[in-house]
Amino acid sequence: MSQLKVNTIRHTGASSDAVTLASDGTCTAKITNNLSNRNLIINGAMRVSQRGSTFNYTSTTSYGLDRWRHTVGSSFNFDTTMTQDSSGPDGFIKCLKVTPDSAVTPTGSHNGAISQRLEGQDCQSLCHGTSSAKKVTLSFYAKSGSQNNNHQYGVQLFKTTSGGSTFNVTKAFTITSSWQKFTMTFPGDTSNDIGNDNSERLRVIFNLATGPDDISSEVSTWTASNIFRAVTGQDNFMDNTSNEFYLTGVQLEVGDVATDFEHRSYGA
């Protein structure tokens, strides 16, 4: 909600005016956020797939569409096919599609996921480990096939500090056979940094199949953890070969607001 004063506008929670109107009619807007290059995710629109358009996987972690990984925990038989699909929602010409090639039940600490790894030097705008630690908002579009309509899956942010400690936060989401936009805001962490180098220091993980040992209540604050955690109620994407998972428009940005997806051009 905004507060309108004489010749000024400010949000009720703001300490200064956002818009001012001078006596000569000049209007000035205070810009506090740089909206360019705000998406920490690379290839979130799934437009780039230099290795091909179809990828078959089992129990190994391998790349498919550029920057996106078929990710396995505890040698799980995540027997799937990943494709670059053309059935994206309005505004998106491509999406990532995953289908099981066999029905498999995860046990113990088995995990099957789609993930992207980010270098620590690209995540310093989050200011983790300082009193200025910022919230971060993840937004994405996803849908299911008719068979796994209303399945619940999980999103996990997993970070590694400069000292090698690991922390995570988790949230659940429920997909349907129609495209939906999901928005999730995660807190900053004033106590533990994100290592500042070109190593993988932050992962965005979409957990599709998780064994019971790695399922727990939602983790809403950064908590020490080994990799892979899903939220209570997680469904098994691998329970039927007719299941489908579609994903596109993935954006991770500083702040607690999901802005419109940042489309970027790329060289052929």
Side-chain angles (χ1 to χ4, degrees), residues 7-201:
N7 299 332
T8 65
I9 298 175
R10 81 168 57 168
H11 189 277
T12 54
S15 59
S16 61
D17 297 325
V19 178
T20 58
L21 181 64
S23 58
D24 63 359
T26 302
C27 182
T28 303
K30 179 182 178 182
I31 299 175
T32 57
N33 291 307
N34 180 6
L35 293 181
S36 63
N37 297 314
R38 64 192 182 279
N39 190 2
L40 298 177
I41 296 293
I42 299 173
N43 196 29
M46 311 301 176
R47 293 176 60 197
V48 186
S49 189
Q50 298 180 90
R51 300 175 183 84
S53 59
T54 302
F55 309 89
N56 299 105
Y57 304 109
T58 53
S59 57
T60 59
T61 294
S62 304
Y63 281 103
L65 278 64
D66 285 38
R67 305 293 299 207
W68 293 99
R69 294 168 64 93
H70 168 274
T71 303
V72 172
S74 299
S75 300
F76 178 54
N77 182 24
F78 192 35
D79 184 15
T80 57
T81 295
M82 178 194 296
T83 57
Q84 184 186 45
D85 197 77
S86 300
S87 60
D90 291 347
F92 295 89
I93 61 173
K94 298 292 183 181
C95 63
L96 180 155
K97 177 183 178 183
V98 185
T99 55
D101 293 325
S102 59
V104 186
T105 300
T107 61
S109 292
H110 284 160
N111 290 277
I114 302 299
S115 69
Q116 183 167 144
R117 300 182 175 190
L118 306 177
E119 294 182 5
Q121 62 192 6
D122 294 329
C123 301
Q124 297 309 302
S125 59
L126 302 184
C127 300
H128 278 208
T130 75
S131 59
S132 300
K134 294 177 171 60
K135 295 178 181 179
V136 65
T137 295
L138 176 71
S139 55
F140 59 93
Y141 293 82
K143 74 170 185 175
S144 70
S146 59
Q147 178 65 38
N148 58 322
N149 183 51
N150 289 318
H151 262 204
Q152 176 188 305
Y153 304 126
V155 167
Q156 177 184 10
L157 302 188
F158 178 85
K159 73 171 182 176
T160 306
T161 68
S162 56
S165 299
T166 53
F167 296 83
N168 85 137
V169 285
T170 62
K171 286 186 182 293
F173 65 100
T174 299
I175 58 175
T176 68
S177 55
S178 298
W179 283 107
Q180 297 180 77
K181 182 178 182 179
F182 296 90
T183 300
M184 304 172 177
T185 297
F186 299 91
D189 183 357
T190 59
S191 300
N192 306 284
D193 69 357
I194 296 175
N196 184 14
D197 54 27
N198 62 359
S199 299
E200 175 251 312
R201 295 287 185 171

